[in-house]
Amino acid sequence: SNMVKAVRVHELGGPEVLKWEDVVVGEPKEGEVKVKNMAIGLNFIDVYFRKGVYKASSLPFTPGMEAVGEVIALGPGVTGIKIGDIIGYVGNPMGAYSEEQILPSGRLIPIPPSVDPIVAASVMLKGMTARILLRQCFKVETGHTVLIHAAAGGVGSLLCQWANALGATVIGTVSTEEKAVQAKQDGCHHVIIYKEEDFVSRVNEITSGEGVEVVYDSVGKDTFEGSLACLKTRGYMVSFGQSSGSPDPIPLSALSPKSLFLTRPSLLHYTVASDELLRTAADVFANVEAGILRVRVNHTYRLPEAARAHSDLESRKTSGSVV
């Protein structure tokens, strides 16, 4: 009765290492709950773990850092949660690519009844990431100019909408004409198709040589140096991903000509305390309910098709969120 299906990784590598298998989930212990997953968010961090860019604690492992599901069993000592509750979870413990999973009750996020589980699973990790980037790593205000790479991606799409709502001038980079249309709809004032033009010189033109207050860069290797070049004096370089590979090391002295700030944030460090986690999630859902964030669930896959989903994400066939 404890057997369920999950996606397992026995060796690091390409999408083909994702295997659909029987696993034993067991029963929740002290302070834990068992959840039957309804919708699971796909995030680039899942690819990083599958490839070994980030290290899983052991092999084999089940990937996945975000899911929404129904509570089906409570361990001893769990309060404030009942069987049948619809909850979300983000971050650790990894293991969302599973029909059922055991989670610590202190890391559960209540899903508002007005938010569909599929929408919730597509927006928690990405929306909470957007929130810490825009409100904490650098506080975007009216009058700022911001540069957002991968502007049509899952986090990028939300960053554009939110930064626009905060009163910033938003410059986005994308790879195709089709993605440029979406970025415009999501609040980009200027969209640069980086395959057709040099983003550094375009940013220079758009800002009349001033540069931008902040760059949000999830691309890494291919954009990192250009991103630094786009910043104004005392600008903030926020590197939060590396879809094109890890950036080359730079000497500390590279920051000094413009007194630049550089940070490499992780959502987990900004939501360590339970109240931080709940506050961040609540702000995201409030912005979804207010219509400030329009969540684009542009692609859905069945869980056994996880390998195809990863392949599509990595080959830039997707835009918006993938569930």
Side-chain angles (χ1 to χ4, degrees), residues 26-43:
E27 291 307 317
K29 299 187 185 68
E30 181 79 28
E32 294 180 334
V33 302
K34 190 196 284 196
V35 175
K36 186 179 179 63
N37 283 332
M38 302 158 83
I40 297 155
L42 171 59
N43 294 283

Side-chain angles (χ1 to χ4, degrees), residues 1-8 10 19-26 60-62 95 97-101:
S1 67
N2 275 333
M3 289 297 248
V4 299
K5 290 281 195 188
V7 174
R8 302 283 277 163
H10 292 267
K19 303 292 186 208
W20 184 238
E21 298 177 347
D22 289 320
V23 295
V24 177
V25 172
F61 68 90
T62 297
Y97 288 23
S98 182
E99 291 176 333
E100 295 177 6
Q101 68 187 125

Side-chain angles (χ1 to χ4, degrees), residues 138 140 144-148 163 168-172 212-216:
F138 175 84
V140 172
H144 285 158
T145 303
V146 307
L147 174 62
I148 296 166
T169 298
V170 183
I171 306 171
V212 299
E213 267 83 8
V214 61
V215 179
Y216 293 110

